[in-house]
Amino acid sequence: MPETASTTRAPDALLPSLAPLLHEWLPRQRWFAGKGRRVTGFTLDAATELLPLDGPGPGLLHLLVRVEQPGRPAGSPSDCYQLLLGVRTQLPPRLAPALIGRIRQGPLAGRAVYEGLRDPRLAGLLYERLRTPGRTGPLRFHATAALPAALAPRVLDAEQSNSSLVYGDAYILKIFRRVSPGANPDLELPLALSRAGCARVPAPVAWFESGAATLGVLQPYLRDSRDGWRLALDALADGREFTTEARALGRATAEVHLALAGALPTRRLGKAEAELLADAMDRRLHAAAQAVPALLPHVPGLRAVFAAAGGAAGAGALQRIHGDLHLGQTLRGSDGAWAVIDFEGEPAKPLDERRSPQPTVRDVAGMLRSFDYAARTHRPWNADWAARCRDAFCGGYAEAAGADPRSDPALLRAYETDKAVYEVVYEARHRPDWLPVPMAAIERLAAVG
C-alpha cells in the first residue's frame, strides 16, 4: 500500500480537546505504569488517522502521547503511550463499555471517543493494514508472510502491561502500550530465533513501528496450547508429579538459549561487570530489608551470596536471554512440545537494560522460583514437589545445553536470591499470606551462603 497523508488536520488543537478525557481514563488502565503519581500534562508525539475521522463510519485515531508526571528521575524522558481511539458521532450500545468520553471542544467536538481495539470493525482494519506492508503517515507496517483476509478479531482481557487481539484463532497481535525508542525484544528475539531455525518460539509474521519504536507484533496463535502455570496447578490439584514436563521444559529453555547465543553476540562475564552485578543486588537487598524487617536476620548470609557472585568473573558468558522467564511465559501444545513466549522482559525496566546481554542462569533462576510459587497453591504447601521439579528442569537443561546450570552455583544462587528478595517486598506489600513462599527460599539460600 502506498504511503498516505494521514496525520490529523489540526494536531495542535487535538490534544487539548482530548486531555480532560485522558486525565480520567489513562490512570485507570491496567497497562498504565504511572499509577499513584499525579498526571500533570500531555505532549503529542504523533497523531495518525488510520481511518478518516470525518467519514460516514467510525474513525480510528492512532496517538503516541507522552504523559507528564512528577517524581521522574532527573534527565529521564516522560513515558510515551500508544493509544488507538475510535471516534463516532453516536456510539452503539454494544460499545458503551469502551467509551472514554465525549469531546466538548476542538476539531472533534461533540464526537464520542472510545477504546478502538474493542470495536471489531477497527480491530479488523488494523489487521488488514498489517497484511499490506507500507507506510501510513509516520507508521510503518511490515510482513514476512502472506496473511489471509477478513479474520474476526477478539480482545484478550488477561493482558497487564500490553493489549492483545486474536484474529480468527490463527494469529495474535500484541500492542505495546508504553513504548520506547529501539527494537522491542518481543520482536527482535523471536525474529532472530526464527532466522536461526528455532521452533520453540512463534515466529513474527507482521509488525508495525514508528521511528525506532516497535508498536505491535503479530504471531501465530497457539490455540491448542496451555500455559505452564495452569498445567502445573492442575498437576498439583490432581496429586500428580510434574517432573517429566519440567525436564522437557528445561530442554526447551536450553534450546532457546543456544539459538540466541548462535544468532546474536555474546561475551564473557568480566570481573568489573560481575562486581557491578553483585553490588546492584546488594543495594536492592539493603532497601528491601528496610522495607521488610523479616529479612534483617538473613542479611549477612544473603550478602555472602552476592559477594560470591561478585567473584564470578569468567565463570560464564553474557548473551541475550528471555529476561522474565516463568511458567506463565511457556505454552505446551497438544503434542507435548513446549514453546516460550513473551520476550519483552520486565516492562518496568528501561529498554536498554532489557536488551543487554546477561547470564543465562537469570532465566533459570526465574523458572526455579516459579516452581516454588506453583507449589504454594497446594495445601499443605508441597515444597518437595517444587524441589523435584527444580531438579528435573535443571537436568533437562543440562541434557540440551551440555552443561548443568547448577555447575555455576554462585551466579545461579545470586539470581535466585535477588528474585526472592524482590518477591519478599512484593508479597509484604500486596499479599502478606504469600510471604512464606519467598521467605522459605531466603532461609534456604542464606544458609547456603
Side-chain angles (χ1 to χ4, degrees), residues 341-420:
I341 59 172
D342 292 337
F343 280 77
E344 190 179 1
E346 297 181 30
K349 293 190 174 182
L351 185 60
D352 286 348
E353 182 178 339
R354 287 184 272 144
R355 296 184 68 211
S356 63
Q358 299 174 62
T360 55
V361 291
R362 179 181 173 185
D363 278 350
V364 174
M367 189 61 72
L368 299 187
R369 297 298 312 125
S370 194
F371 286 122
D372 270 5
Y373 266 79
R376 178 63 173 85
T377 65
H378 185 272
R379 301 301 174 91
W381 183 11
N382 197 336
D384 290 341
W385 182 94
R388 292 191 293 272
C389 287
R390 291 155 58 90
D391 286 342
F393 178 85
C394 289
Y397 190 101
E399 291 170 4
D404 194 312
R406 292 168 293 189
S407 64
D408 190 5
L411 276 178
L412 177 60
R413 191 175 303 130
Y415 272 109
E416 191 177 353
T417 302
D418 189 49
K419 183 74 170 178

Side-chain angles (χ1 to χ4, degrees), residues 13 70 99 148 150 159 179 200 272 275 304 333 352 409 415:
L99 178 66
E159 290 283 338
V179 299
R200 293 294 187 176
E275 290 174 349
D352 286 348
Y415 272 109

Side-chain angles (χ1 to χ4, degrees), residues 58-306:
L60 178 58
L61 180 62
H62 182 281
L63 298 179
L64 294 176
V65 176
R66 291 197 175 275
V67 180
E68 305 297 337
Q69 293 183 278
R72 196 171 66 249
S76 65
S78 53
D79 288 336
C80 181
Y81 290 92
Q82 176 180 195
L83 309 180
L84 290 117
L85 305 180
V87 179
R88 288 178 181 254
T89 302
Q90 296 294 331
L91 196 64
R94 62 184 172 80
L95 291 175
L99 178 66
I100 297 173
R102 193 169 287 275
I103 296 180
R104 297 177 180 272
Q105 59 183 358
L108 301 178
R111 305 283 189 90
V113 176
Y114 60 102
E115 170 57 88
L117 298 182
R118 295 283 174 180
D119 187 335
R121 179 172 175 182
L122 300 183
L125 168 77
L126 189 57
Y127 173 75
E128 290 303 315
R129 193 61 196 83
L130 285 162
R131 293 182 62 238
T132 53
R135 296 181 67 102
T136 301
L139 306 180
R140 301 188 306 277
F141 295 83
H142 308 268
T144 61
L147 302 174
L151 296 181
R154 60 184 172 89
V155 177
L156 290 185
D157 290 319
E159 290 283 338
Q160 296 292 329
S161 58
N162 299 296
S163 299
S164 287
L165 292 159
V166 172
Y167 291 97
D169 280 345
Y171 300 101
I172 182 168
L173 172 64
K174 180 185 285 188
I175 303 288
F176 301 112
R177 288 299 196 165
R178 186 167 64 152
V179 299
S180 302
N184 192 295
D186 214 6
L187 170 63
E188 180 188 18
L189 298 187
L191 274 179
L193 289 165
S194 173
R195 292 163 181 160
C198 179
R200 293 294 187 176
V201 178
V205 294
W207 64 93
F208 68 112
E209 57 194 0
S210 177
T214 307
L215 300 179
V217 181
L218 186 74
Q219 294 173 283
Y221 181 57
L222 306 181
R223 61 182 180 274
D224 295 326
S225 299
R226 299 186 65 203
D227 72 79
W229 175 256
R230 176 50 53 191
L231 289 169
L233 298 192
D234 287 349
L236 281 158
D238 295 342
R240 290 186 285 106
E241 286 296 309
F242 197 66
T243 52
T244 299
E245 295 89 339
R247 183 173 293 275
L249 182 54
R251 289 194 295 269
T253 303
E255 289 174 19
V256 170
H257 283 165
L258 290 170
L260 286 172
L264 297 167
T266 67
R267 67 175 188 270
R268 301 301 295 176
L269 176 64
K271 183 178 187 331
E273 199 161 10
E275 290 174 349
L276 286 173
L277 183 153
D279 288 345
M281 292 178 174
D282 196 81
R283 288 194 301 273
R284 289 192 287 270
L285 171 62
H286 176 76
Q290 301 304 307
V292 186
L295 277 172
L296 288 170
H298 306 290
V299 165
L302 299 178
R303 295 195 71 185
V305 171
F306 297 145

